[in-house]
Amino acid sequence: MIRIYLDWNMISYLKKPEFADVITFITDHRERFLFLYADAHFGDLMKSYSVDNPYFEQDLDMLDQLCANYFIGWEKERAVGYAVRPKDYFTRNYQNKDKLNYFDMDELVKLFDETGDDIGMGGLGKQFKELFSALPAAIEINNTNREQLSKFFPGITEDSTQWDLFKASGKMLEQMAGDKEYYKDLRKSIADNGFDLGKNAGNWKAEDVIANIDAYLAKSAPGLDFMGYMNKAFSLRNEKPDGMTFFTSCYNTLDLLGFKTDKLPKKTDTPMNIQYDAQHAFFAGHCDFFVVADKNLAVKSKVLYSKFNLKTKIVSPQEMVEELRQVIHTPQGKLNGYELLNSALSVFNTADDRQDFPEQQTDGGEAYSKRLNVFFLDYFNLVWLQGYPVEKKIELTFYKRPENFQRFLYYAELETIIFKMAKYLGWTLKEDEINECVRKNDPIAIKVDYDFGYILIDYEEHQGINQPTLTFGLYTERLQ
């Protein structure tokens, strides 16, 4: 299945009559696509939440129909998939729930104390506060940085403790999250203090943006590039960020530095809009396609995808159907191994992104890979050719090799591709039996012989996941 992530504007657009053809296309090819949603979608959605607002229910219905139970979240330094429908997620996490102010350190201390009491560790929050109250903030304040520090850490002095720093940071972050005028003023003060990318920055090519910022930084802070700037910011806070925090911070920093800034024009807009966009960009980086209606989000995502070497394809709402139509692929004709082979050879021959691996050659036979122009069987995107001259055999093995952040598979992705391959090989294992094997993480393997050679469904472990592979063994003498 092909993974797709939509920004919130695109999901809202799908309710409009002019996007009826997109809905029809999705419905007609539903079994090919996996639409993911994240908590950031609810950050956007909740701005219109009211029991009397019919549009809220329409948006939630659209999200629920489109994404089914494919939620993507962040847990223990990695992205994970959960089986929960948007309506159920809303009920559990947002409906009739009091929001905790995560920027208020005293509220967090109280929460830690209550949590500690529940698990037999009373006073957990108090101990946390006492520990950091005993440590100095170790911040040097001088005439050069005094004004900027007062903006970022209001009330902080050279005698302040780490706890004072936490509280001041919380106040600053709360203002940044909820007060768009404060955020705009902060963004302006950064430009006024010498960091102005210039009016032409918006015309830079996505792949050049970070390099241009690096060049700008080299003039004002020799030896410090954009990534060095980000790492230094975290080191000053004694923080080691996880992958999501680092990526979203890079996104937010682009906005703070004045690149494709979000104007926050609506009354309901807050600086959290930018954070939600950063999260959209991050989680879309686990997918094959990111459909974006917000132009600033699209450009900043392209910049970071280029820097992080992510091949997630960013497309506009108007491009979505045609772009997907070009890459979906399921063999036409009869469901048998011969049709599957013919289709595989056609896909192989039209792929042009070849990389040779001389060190992998066997007895002088060829060894190379090709990045496919389509998703073979709506799943595989890479093929490996291995030649065996002594055996007079060639093997073509198809793999799933996403060039993005993807590090897990949903059950549906595995079940769908295995069942699809099995049908072509005349395999009698039932769909519910395949599902049971997938959920137990029991590898499924089958080899079927043909007059041209054989077809093998197998598994390989890649990035900690048992991923299915499809191999065609072709004996060259039999093909003549």
Side-chain angles (χ1 to χ4, degrees):
M1 303 177 79
I2 300 169
R3 285 192 187 187
I4 305 170
Y5 191 102
L6 310 183
D7 79 338
W8 183 251
N9 288 349
M10 180 59 190
I11 291 173
S12 295
Y13 286 175
L14 290 176
K15 304 193 306 290
K16 298 180 179 181
E18 55 264 40
F19 283 87
D21 60 329
V22 178
I23 293 294
T24 300
F25 176 79
I26 292 172
T27 302
D28 290 345
H29 299 280
R30 185 73 206 192
E31 76 284 355
R32 302 175 186 268
F33 304 133
L34 206 66
F35 290 92
L36 309 191
Y37 77 99
D39 185 74
H41 285 107
F42 282 88
D44 292 320
L45 175 62
M46 292 304 292
K47 289 189 295 183
S48 64
Y49 178 53
S50 168
V51 292
D52 301 320
N53 182 4
Y55 297 110
F56 174 86
E57 288 298 331
Q58 290 176 21
D59 284 335
L60 184 57
D61 283 341
M62 178 59 69
L63 189 66
D64 197 82
Q65 294 170 25
L66 190 67
C67 299
N69 60 342
Y70 302 116
F71 176 83
I72 183 170
W74 187 256
E75 182 180 290
K76 297 180 181 179
E77 301 192 355
R78 64 187 295 266
V80 292
Y82 293 109
V84 56
R85 297 193 72 99
K87 287 186 177 181
D88 293 332
Y89 187 84
F90 166 70
T91 301
R92 295 179 196 174
N93 296 281
Y94 286 94
Q95 192 174 34
N96 302 323
K97 294 289 180 70
D98 293 327
K99 284 282 186 179
L100 174 69
N101 184 355
Y102 289 98
F103 303 119
D104 188 322
M105 296 305 296
D106 291 320
E107 278 196 37
L108 289 177
V109 165
K110 183 179 177 181
L111 174 65
F112 287 159
D113 278 338
E114 292 173 352
T115 303
D117 290 339
D118 292 340
I119 61 175
M121 296 176 63
L124 191 62
K126 182 181 178 182
Q127 294 173 36
F128 177 84
K129 179 178 179 179
E130 289 175 349
L131 171 64
F132 287 96
S133 294
L135 299 173
I139 290 181
E140 180 183 348
I141 302 176
N142 53 48
N143 292 333
T144 303
N145 64 18
R146 192 181 309 278
E147 182 180 350
Q148 285 300 308
L149 283 175
S150 67
K151 286 183 178 292
F152 284 101
F153 309 110
I156 206 74
T157 68
E158 289 185 338
D159 297 327
S160 296
T161 66
Q162 288 279 354
W163 181 252
D164 296 326
L165 185 61
F166 286 161
K167 293 194 70 172
S169 299
K171 292 177 183 177
M172 183 269 292
L173 290 170
E174 184 174 13
Q175 281 188 290
M176 284 187 68
D179 185 344
K180 64 182 176 183
E181 296 308 320
Y182 172 86
Y183 179 82
K184 289 179 179 180
D185 181 62
L186 177 63
R187 194 164 58 190
K188 182 177 181 298
S189 73
I190 292 174
D192 291 343
N193 278 274
F195 206 108
D196 185 358
L197 297 178
K199 295 180 180 179
N200 292 326
N203 298 323
W204 292 343
K205 292 181 180 179
E207 60 270 22
D208 296 334
V209 170
I210 299 299
N212 289 343
I213 293 176
D214 288 346
Y216 188 95
L217 282 169
K219 298 176 183 177
S220 56
L224 196 65
D225 59 11
F226 180 78
M227 287 302 178
Y229 178 86
M230 296 303 305
N231 287 321
K232 185 175 181 179
F234 282 107
S235 67
L236 288 173
R237 287 151 47 184
N238 295 318
E239 183 179 347
K240 185 178 180 181
D242 58 36
M244 178 179 174
T245 301
F246 190 83
F247 183 95
T248 55
S249 296
C250 287
Y251 185 100
N252 290 324
T253 300
L254 285 175
D255 192 88
L256 272 173
L257 296 181
F259 180 76
K260 290 292 182 179
T261 55
D262 193 319
K263 306 303 180 186
L264 304 175
K266 299 178 183 176
K267 281 187 177 182
T268 55
D269 286 344
T270 74
M272 282 304 294
N273 286 48
I274 301 167
Q275 175 63 14
Y276 297 142
D277 284 349
Q279 292 177 16
H280 285 315
F282 176 73
F283 285 118
H286 295 75
C287 299
D288 302 303
F289 284 88
F290 185 17
V291 185
V292 192
D294 184 326
K295 292 182 179 179
N296 282 349
L297 170 56
V299 173
K300 281 185 275 197
S301 297
K302 285 180 181 177
V303 169
L304 292 181
Y305 288 1
S306 176
K307 182 61 182 178
F308 286 84
N309 197 29
L310 307 181
K311 302 303 182 184
T312 296
K313 188 162 189 178
I314 298 174
V315 300
S316 70
Q318 293 73 24
E319 296 169 328
M320 175 182 169
V321 170
E322 186 56 33
E323 289 285 345
L324 291 175
R325 200 187 302 277
Q326 290 179 17
V327 298
I328 58 178
H329 185 276
T330 298
Q332 303 300 312
K334 297 180 180 179
L335 292 176
N336 60 49
Y338 295 97
E339 290 296 335
L340 188 61
L341 172 62
N342 289 335
S343 185
L345 291 174
S346 174
V347 167
F348 172 80
N349 289 329
T350 55
D352 50 17
D353 184 8
R354 171 171 167 166
Q355 185 175 0
D356 287 274
F357 295 87
E359 71 279 5
Q360 299 292 330
Q361 292 180 355
T362 301
D363 298 323
E366 290 185 299
Y368 61 87
S369 68
K370 280 187 174 184
R371 179 72 52 172
L372 304 181
N373 299 322
V374 298
F375 288 89
F376 181 51
L377 298 178
D378 301 321
Y379 182 81
F380 299 109
N381 65 343
L382 185 81
V383 61
W384 175 273
L385 181 145
Q386 185 78 51
Y388 299 93
V390 175
E391 299 176 48
K392 297 181 179 179
K393 182 181 73 171
I394 294 172
E395 280 190 343
L396 296 179
T397 302
F398 289 82
Y399 299 92
K400 175 81 167 182
R401 284 288 188 274
E403 294 181 306
N404 53 35
F405 285 144
Q406 180 182 323
R407 297 295 182 272
F408 73 91
L409 292 171
Y410 291 92
Y411 287 141
E413 293 176 279
L414 292 169
E415 292 163 357
T416 301
I417 183 58
I418 293 170
F419 188 69
K420 189 176 290 187
M421 291 187 295
K423 286 195 299 183
Y424 281 95
L425 302 190
W427 201 16
T428 57
L429 197 61
K430 296 179 180 178
E431 187 172 358
D432 58 346
E433 294 175 309
I434 292 175
N435 295 350
E436 184 179 358
C437 289
V438 167
R439 291 164 194 269
K440 288 182 177 179
N441 200 27
D442 290 337
I444 299 173
I446 181 172
K447 181 180 179 182
V448 179
D449 292 320
Y450 294 88
D451 53 14
F452 57 75
Y454 55 85
I455 300 178
L456 171 67
I457 297 174
D458 206 351
Y459 276 78
E460 64 146 9
E461 185 174 332
H462 180 68
Q463 296 176 336
I465 308 168
N466 280 333
Q467 301 208 38
T469 62
L470 178 62
T471 298
F472 296 85
L474 309 175
Y475 290 100
T476 54
E477 288 184 336
R478 300 184 190 180
L479 298 177
Q480 296 175 355

